């Protein structure tokens, strides 16, 4: 009887071992042969369940595969939170990336003319975990001096609009430093002397370039638009640029520029009420706008108005300008 019991136990153990081995082979085969295309942000808490349900559960895994990953691979305790993106990659390699914490990078584009309000919203959505800190640093004079060596009111205008690659959760300072140093690389080597020849500082040029950027739809018109502002500054005329007024109303601006906004002297960016350039740039200009600010066309224009196609018509006199405004309003 004892012999029969021993044999039965041995058979059971053999079958159990064989079943376990077969299960293990199936799970490993699934890891090796299953390819995955996925984009996921693994959170700090409940990360394994989020990853399993959003990626692996959809792949028709073997029976008790979740338990295999937990008991045999200990992925649940070894995985690192973060952003991961793979395309047609073996599942085993995808899981190894998560275990090693090798996050994917993300591309983020800041269009030409984005201001720091726009940028802070975009980095909070895609890159950093604190858009408010990003924005605060662009106004932190101690940090600005540490970064630039200049006593600037803000970093508006000094963060170059382009497409960048960052890891998710990159610290705001690193993002700002990257944008600033790329801005520096875009500046003409002789910008100081060229600005001085126009009776302006480099900061003046960046401020003017930011206005030109906001007013320009067709790059071919940028030097002509620049000439209008240079001519106005030279004559002591107010710039009367709507984009500067709008900037002074941010972040509360609702998209509707009202007559009372143009008449409000409390807005320091209201170039209808205040002479000269506004206190700071109003956006982050491209190299095109910077070049236009440095190289205004040789014109006598003092006015321009946009048509419904965002093309501009230019005028020397106010009477001519009013006539063109009336024509455009009837279109």
């Amino acid at each position: 009887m004892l012999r029969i019991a021993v044999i039965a136990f041995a058979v059971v153990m053999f079958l159990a071992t064989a079943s376990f081995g077969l299960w293990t082979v199936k799970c490993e085969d699934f890891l090796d042969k299953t390819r995955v295309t996925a984009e996921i942000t693994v959170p700090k808490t409940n990360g394994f369940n989020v990853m399993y349900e959003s990626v692996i559960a959809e792949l028709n895994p073997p029976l008790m595969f979740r338990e295999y990953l937990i008991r045999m691979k200990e992925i649940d305790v070894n995985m690192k939170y973060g952003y991961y993106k793979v395309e047609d990659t073996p599942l085993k390699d995808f899981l190894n990336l998560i275990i090693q914490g090798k996050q994917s990078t993300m591309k983020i584009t800041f269009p030409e003319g984005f201001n720091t309000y726009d940028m802070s919203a975009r980095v909070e959505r895609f890159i950093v975990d604190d858009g408010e800190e990003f924005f605060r640093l662009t106004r932190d004079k101690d940090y600005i001096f540490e970064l630039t060596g200049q006593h600037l009111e803000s970093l508006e205008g000094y963060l170059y609009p382009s497409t960048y690659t960052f890891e998710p959760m990159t610290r705001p300072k690193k993002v700002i430093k990257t944008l600033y140093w790329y801005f520096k690389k875009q500046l003409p080597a002789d910008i100081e002397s060229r600005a001085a020849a126009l009776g302006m500082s480099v900061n003046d040029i960046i401020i003017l370039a930011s206005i030109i950027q906001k007013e320009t739809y067709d790059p071919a018109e940028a030097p002509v638009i620049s000439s209008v502002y240079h001519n106005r500054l030279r004559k002591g005329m107010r710039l009367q640029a709507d984009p500067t007024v709008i900037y002074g109303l941010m972040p509360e601006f609702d998209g509707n520029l009202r007559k009372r906004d143009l008449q409000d002297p409390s807005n320091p960016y209201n170039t209808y009420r205040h002479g000269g350039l506004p206190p700071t740039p109003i956006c982050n200009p491209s190299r095109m706008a910077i070049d236009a600010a440095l190289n205004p066309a040789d014109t006598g224009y003092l006015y321009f108005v946009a048509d419904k196609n965002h093309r501009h018509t230019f005028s020397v006199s106010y009477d001519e300008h009013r006539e063109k405004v009336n024509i455009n309003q009837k279109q």
Side-chain angles (χ1 to χ4, degrees):
M1 193 70 179
L2 178 61
R3 183 180 179 186
I4 294 175
V6 170
I7 292 174
F9 177 76
V11 170
V12 170
M13 290 301 296
F14 173 79
L15 292 175
T17 302
S19 297
F20 178 79
L22 181 60
W23 177 61
T24 301
V25 169
K26 284 186 176 180
C27 290
E28 285 296 323
D29 193 55
F30 184 77
L31 283 171
D32 287 333
K33 294 183 178 179
T34 302
R35 305 186 77 84
V36 60
T37 295
E39 181 177 12
I40 182 175
T41 299
V42 178
K44 291 183 180 180
T45 57
N46 203 33
F48 177 80
N49 288 333
V50 170
M51 181 277 295
Y52 192 91
E53 292 301 324
S54 61
V55 179
I56 298 176
E58 307 294 326
L59 301 174
N60 193 27
L63 184 66
M64 298 181 68
F65 187 65
R66 177 194 293 267
E67 287 68 26
Y68 181 77
L69 294 180
I70 293 174
R71 304 298 180 189
M72 305 301 293
K73 298 295 187 180
E74 298 184 334
I75 290 178
D76 59 323
V77 295
N78 291 317
M79 66 190 304
K80 310 296 190 302
Y81 76 92
Y83 171 77
Y84 301 93
K85 182 178 181 181
V86 292
E87 186 171 346
D88 194 28
T89 299
L91 179 57
K92 177 181 284 187
D93 293 345
F94 171 64
L95 294 177
N96 282 336
L97 289 176
I98 297 178
I99 291 171
Q100 296 166 17
K102 292 184 177 179
Q103 294 189 66
S104 303
T105 56
M106 300 180 75
K107 284 187 176 180
I108 182 169
T109 298
F110 301 107
E112 297 171 353
F114 252 38
N115 58 42
T116 49
Y117 296 97
D118 302 321
M119 286 182 165
S120 62
R122 182 157 290 196
V123 296
E124 183 168 59
R125 180 180 176 190
F126 293 105
I127 300 297
V128 305
D129 58 357
D130 193 345
E132 290 184 4
E133 173 68 2
F134 177 94
F135 183 81
R136 186 193 68 77
L137 287 168
T138 67
R139 303 304 196 267
D140 184 326
K141 293 182 181 180
D142 291 335
Y143 173 68
I144 292 171
F145 183 76
E146 174 188 329
L147 178 67
T148 70
Q150 301 181 67
H151 295 287
L152 301 172
E153 290 296 316
S154 79
L155 285 173
E156 194 74 80
Y158 290 78
L159 306 176
Y160 197 76
S162 187
T163 297
Y164 298 87
T165 300
F166 294 105
E167 288 186 352
M169 305 306 173
T170 299
R171 298 306 303 154
K173 281 189 176 182
K174 183 175 181 180
V175 177
I176 290 172
K177 185 176 181 179
T178 300
L179 271 60
Y180 173 70
W181 283 109
Y182 195 53
F183 162 81
K184 293 282 287 184
K185 288 176 64 175
Q186 299 304 312
L187 293 179
D190 58 349
I191 187 171
E192 290 189 11
S193 61
R194 291 169 65 185
L198 293 168
M200 305 174 80
S201 68
V202 172
N203 191 51
D204 291 338
I205 290 295
I206 303 304
I207 293 173
L208 183 55
S210 73
I211 302 173
I212 295 168
Q213 183 75 65
K214 281 296 191 181
E215 295 281 19
T216 301
Y217 296 94
D218 180 356
E221 291 185 343
V224 186
I225 291 172
S226 175
S227 74
V228 171
Y229 290 126
H230 276 283
N231 291 341
R232 281 179 162 265
L233 289 170
R234 194 177 302 115
K235 290 177 174 291
M237 298 173 66
R238 293 173 183 172
L239 296 185
Q240 297 183 321
D242 289 358
T244 66
V245 184
I246 291 171
Y247 185 81
L249 297 172
M250 296 191 73
E252 288 80 17
F253 181 63
D254 62 4
N256 184 18
L257 188 62
R258 300 168 176 84
K259 186 176 181 180
R260 67 172 181 268
D261 297 324
L262 302 180
Q263 296 173 341
D264 181 11
S266 69
N267 180 351
Y269 289 86
N270 186 350
T271 50
Y272 285 84
R273 304 293 287 178
H274 302 287
L277 294 167
T280 71
I282 60 170
C283 72
N284 293 281
S286 64
R287 176 64 186 262
M288 174 275 297
I290 295 171
D291 285 341
L294 289 168
N295 298 282
D298 185 10
T299 77
Y301 295 138
L302 294 171
Y303 306 92
F304 62 85
V305 61
D307 62 22
K308 63 180 180 180
N309 297 315
H310 300 299
R311 295 284 301 177
H312 292 91
T313 53
F314 299 86
S315 305
V316 173
S317 70
Y318 182 64
D319 288 342
E320 181 186 1
H321 172 64
R322 286 186 61 184
E323 181 180 341
K324 291 179 178 177
V325 170
N326 291 332
I327 292 172
N328 282 299
Q329 287 177 343
K330 293 177 182 177
Q331 291 180 348

